[in-house]
Amino acid sequence: MFGEFMGGGRRGQGGPSRGSDLRYNLEISLEECFRGKQETIRVPNLVTCDQCQGSGAEPGSKPVTCPTCHGRGRIRAQQGFFTIERTCASCQGAGRVIERPCRACGGQGRVRREKTLAVNIPPGVEDGTRIRLAGEGEAGVRGAPPGDLFIFISVTPHPIFQRDGANIHCRVPISITTAALGGTIDVPTVDGTRTKVTVPAGTQSGRQFRLRGKGMSVLRSSLRGDMYVEAVVETPVNLTKRQQELLREFEKESEASRTHPESEGFFARVKEFFEDLRE
């Protein structure tokens, strides 16, 4: 759920390090992606010490200029023809030292505490979307600026819908009689309503029906994507004896008529294939 993000903080010239950026992984449903939501999260964090107000010094005292680097945070040393500059070991680059460290934070100017934050998830976010909360990362050492908090969105798989950008795909089983004779079917939509789809007679398995404006919300827009309903013609199972007899009668009646054009076309191509092999 939670972790440090992109390493530690950055150090300003002659000053303490900026606080580290943090990462929080937030899992939401597809419906929440569509609607958006207000989420409350709890983040274990390093926050500014209330006792010393982030200075790191015991109340009543204050940091003093580092006598080693004279407030520069860095010292220079001559080595032959070269001058080497490095971080001051006495103040760790802060330019100041604390003679009386704060007892609450040990001189760091920050303490570990759980923060409660409200996060606004806008409609239309996708899996992998990153939301930045500026200044909500770790507090910097001894009053340095805080880092940022990055919310990474992951979307749980949906049992009915598959998302493709702003579009939604849904596979809907239809009976063999509805596919053959035509009819209407009720299909759910991501906004929680139902819509009717007209299935024309002779519909084959795999045919798609496009429902404009029934897909996902588009991020930072009032538009919506489309929904694609794929018909899956279902073969009946557990037939009674009478049902089997009716299907055999139908098959017998179909032999003299062109009721299976796809099958006829396929087997005609198979016949041509073997004739070409014999030549």
Side-chain angles (χ1 to χ4, degrees):
M1 291 286 289
F2 170 80
E4 188 171 300
F5 180 57
M6 295 195 304
R10 296 181 289 274
R11 185 185 300 276
Q13 181 66 33
S17 298
R18 172 186 180 272
S20 295
D21 294 333
L22 299 178
R23 169 175 179 154
Y24 187 94
N25 297 326
L26 180 62
E27 190 174 69
I28 62 176
S29 67
L30 188 66
E31 291 85 354
E32 290 169 334
C33 288
F34 171 78
R35 297 189 302 266
K37 67 177 299 189
Q38 190 82 14
E39 179 76 6
T40 299
I41 63 174
R42 292 179 174 83
V43 182
N45 202 350
L46 288 172
V47 300
T48 301
C49 175
D50 294 331
Q51 183 89 358
C52 65
Q53 303 301 313
S55 70
E58 186 69 16
S61 67
K62 60 181 181 180
V64 298
T65 300
C66 176
T68 303
C69 64
H70 305 290
R72 294 183 62 250
R74 304 183 71 81
I75 57 174
R76 293 179 178 179
Q78 192 75 31
Q79 292 186 359
F81 295 102
F82 301 99
T83 299
I84 306 299
E85 186 176 85
R86 61 180 184 274
T87 302
C88 176
S90 299
C91 65
Q92 303 300 318
R96 298 181 300 170
V97 293
I98 299 173
E99 295 178 328
R100 294 176 55 199
C102 172
R103 285 173 290 183
C105 64
Q108 292 297 307
R110 55 185 187 172
V111 293
R112 186 162 294 280
R113 187 179 303 158
E114 188 175 75
K115 290 179 66 175
T116 301
L117 299 171
V119 182
N120 181 44
I121 310 297
V125 296
E126 297 189 41
D127 192 81
T129 296
R130 187 181 72 173
I131 299 174
R132 174 175 173 260
L133 300 183
E136 296 295 351
E138 286 187 353
V141 177
R142 299 177 187 172
D148 300 329
L149 174 64
F150 292 87
I151 311 294
F152 280 75
I153 304 296
S154 62
V155 184
T156 56
H158 199 276
I160 298 175
F161 304 115
Q162 294 80 45
R163 182 179 183 178
D164 180 17
N167 297 326
I168 286 289
H169 293 263
C170 179
R171 300 176 77 248
V172 179
I174 61 175
S175 68
I176 194 170
T177 52
T178 301
L181 303 177
T184 59
I185 55 174
D186 281 336
V187 296
T189 58
V190 71
D191 58 13
T193 62
R194 289 177 174 271
T195 188
K196 289 187 179 297
V197 175
T198 299
V199 179
T203 293
Q204 301 297 311
S205 191
R207 178 170 179 176
Q208 289 192 338
F209 302 92
R210 181 182 183 184
L211 306 180
R212 295 182 182 273
K214 293 293 186 180
M216 291 293 295
S217 303
V218 178
L219 188 64
R220 291 184 288 274
S221 171
S222 60
L223 300 176
R224 287 179 62 178
D226 300 330
M227 178 175 174
Y228 292 86
V229 177
E230 180 183 345
V232 181
V233 180
E234 189 172 25
T235 302
V237 297
N238 301 322
L239 299 177
T240 65
K241 185 177 181 180
R242 176 55 180 160
Q243 289 170 330
Q244 294 176 27
E245 291 174 353
L246 290 172
L247 281 178
R248 290 192 179 98
E249 290 179 17
F250 170 76
E251 184 180 25
K252 186 176 181 180
E253 291 290 332
S254 299
E255 290 176 355
S257 59
R258 303 178 62 87
T259 58
H260 297 81
E262 189 169 338
S263 296
E264 292 175 6
F266 173 77
F267 288 111
R269 292 190 296 273
V270 171
K271 182 179 179 182
E272 292 175 1
F273 171 72
F274 284 112
E275 287 177 348
D276 291 339
L277 289 179
R278 286 193 294 268
E279 293 179 357

